[in-house]
Amino acid sequence: MDGTPARPGPRRVVVGVDGSPSARTAVMWAAAEAALRGSTLFLVHAADTDTQAPFLSQAEIVRSRRAGRDLLDRTAEAVMARHPELTVVTELTDGGAADGLRGAAALTGTIVVGHRGRGGFPSLLLGSVGLEVAAGATTPVVVVRGTAEPAEAGVVLAAVRDEADVGCARAAAREALLREVPLRLLHIWSVGLSVGSRAALHNGGDEIARDHVSVMASVSERLREEFPKLTVHADGQKGRSVPGALVEATHHADLLVIGGRRSPGYLGPTIGRTTLSLLQHAHCPVELIPRQGPGHGSTS
């Protein structure tokens, strides 16, 4: 299966390395993604000695940097053992992890993080670095969820809320082409209305359903035109919980691609309820595409 993407994918894949099991899983996912794309893989470790400098001796700073460099070298060796054809670059930064990842990604890279860091409370399902990166990125961010060696479902899933999500769907189409699998577009609309609104739902239900079907038809038709050799399935569902329905759908996907909804050019300082639910509970990796900016793509 192949097609003609609207534009080439990112030139680099950037992943955070901190020694945690979650980060190791993210590294191997990122390496496989970079190999699929023919991209360079950047391994980034943040020693964070800049903020800790007032509390550390020079010897402690040197030890921290040496430990970070050793971790990067070991991680690069593990990646190269599995993907000998891959170009791997290691970066040790003295600053924070989120800034280091964004700096390495520049304007066109994809940032990959694990769903948990080394510290934090057990109930914090997405680590603070992952939250900060996802909330402030201007390029795609992938939070790697699921098992270390997941069973392949053979489909890429894209969540579509409205026609402005065509850029997100386009990014998902490229991912499906890389994997040579079909793309499933999924549009969920809520029916969680109050008792007093039941009459309105009954009287206007058909018209509401037609509007939602129209959204899916518009997005799917555009993708079929742009990617004529890609198999595209378009599904619409109504339910009481949009996040719940999308989380359930990730049981049967290799990757979920969703769009960010914040101010132009970035995702913003916070993450919406549906997005946060998916980043915390999805059963497969989640790729977050900024609504506008380099990672989103034109909708014209």
Side-chain angles (χ1 to χ4, degrees):
M1 180 187 302
D2 61 2
T4 305
R7 63 176 186 168
R11 288 190 293 271
R12 59 179 64 181
V13 176
V14 178
V15 61
V17 177
D18 65 11
S20 67
S22 177
R24 288 194 291 272
T25 299
V27 165
M28 289 308 174
W29 189 95
E33 180 77 2
L36 280 174
R37 298 182 182 191
S39 301
T40 298
L41 177 68
F42 281 71
L43 305 177
V44 178
H45 175 74
D48 200 18
T49 52
D50 284 348
T51 57
Q52 299 181 52
F55 313 103
L56 299 176
S57 67
Q58 186 60 37
E60 289 172 323
I61 291 176
V62 170
R63 283 197 296 271
S64 176
R65 289 182 56 84
R66 184 181 298 121
R69 175 53 59 191
D70 290 344
L71 176 61
L72 284 170
D73 290 343
R74 292 196 306 273
T75 305
E77 290 176 3
V79 168
M80 293 300 295
R82 185 173 297 189
H83 300 280
E85 78 290 352
L86 198 59
T87 299
V88 179
V89 175
T90 60
E91 289 193 7
L92 178 67
T93 174
D94 293 329
D99 287 341
L101 291 167
R102 285 192 288 260
L107 297 177
T108 60
T110 293
I111 300 173
V112 180
V113 295
H115 73 279
R116 287 289 302 276
R118 290 176 296 177
F121 298 99
S123 60
L124 185 59
L125 300 181
L126 180 61
S128 58
V129 171
L131 282 170
E132 184 178 354
V133 170
T138 57
T139 60
V141 173
V142 178
V143 176
V144 177
R145 298 197 55 82
T147 61
E149 298 292 341
E152 292 186 0
V155 65
V156 169
L157 177 66
V160 177
R161 190 177 76 171
D162 53 41
E163 293 184 26
D165 269 331
V166 68
C168 163
R170 188 178 288 125
R174 297 191 191 101
E175 293 285 2
L177 287 172
L178 285 174
R179 291 163 172 76
E180 299 183 338
V181 300
L183 170 65
R184 182 190 180 198
L185 305 176
L186 182 57
H187 174 64
I188 309 291
W189 69 93
S190 175
V191 293
L193 302 177
S194 64
V195 173
S197 301
R198 286 179 180 174
L201 176 62
H202 176 75
N203 295 330
D206 290 343
E207 183 177 350
I208 291 172
R210 283 195 297 271
D211 289 342
H212 288 290
V213 169
S214 176
V215 168
M216 290 303 292
S218 174
V219 174
S220 60
E221 287 171 7
R222 291 186 66 170
L223 289 184
R224 290 185 178 109
E225 290 176 359
E226 293 185 30
F227 304 88
K229 296 183 180 181
L230 175 65
T231 299
V232 179
H233 302 292
D235 297 322
Q237 300 176 10
K238 60 182 178 180
R240 293 194 176 277
S241 170
V242 173
L246 289 172
V247 167
E248 180 63 25
T250 62
H251 276 293
H252 313 289
D254 297 322
L255 175 69
L256 168 65
V257 183
I258 60 176
R261 300 183 178 280
R262 290 296 180 266
S263 301
Y266 62 100
L267 295 175
T270 59
I271 298 175
R273 181 175 65 90
T274 296
T275 300
L276 184 58
S277 294
L278 290 165
L279 295 181
Q280 290 182 332
H281 300 295
H283 301 283
C284 70
V286 179
E287 182 171 4
L288 190 60
I289 306 293
R291 179 77 177 217
Q292 300 182 32
H296 185 69
S298 171
T299 60
S300 61

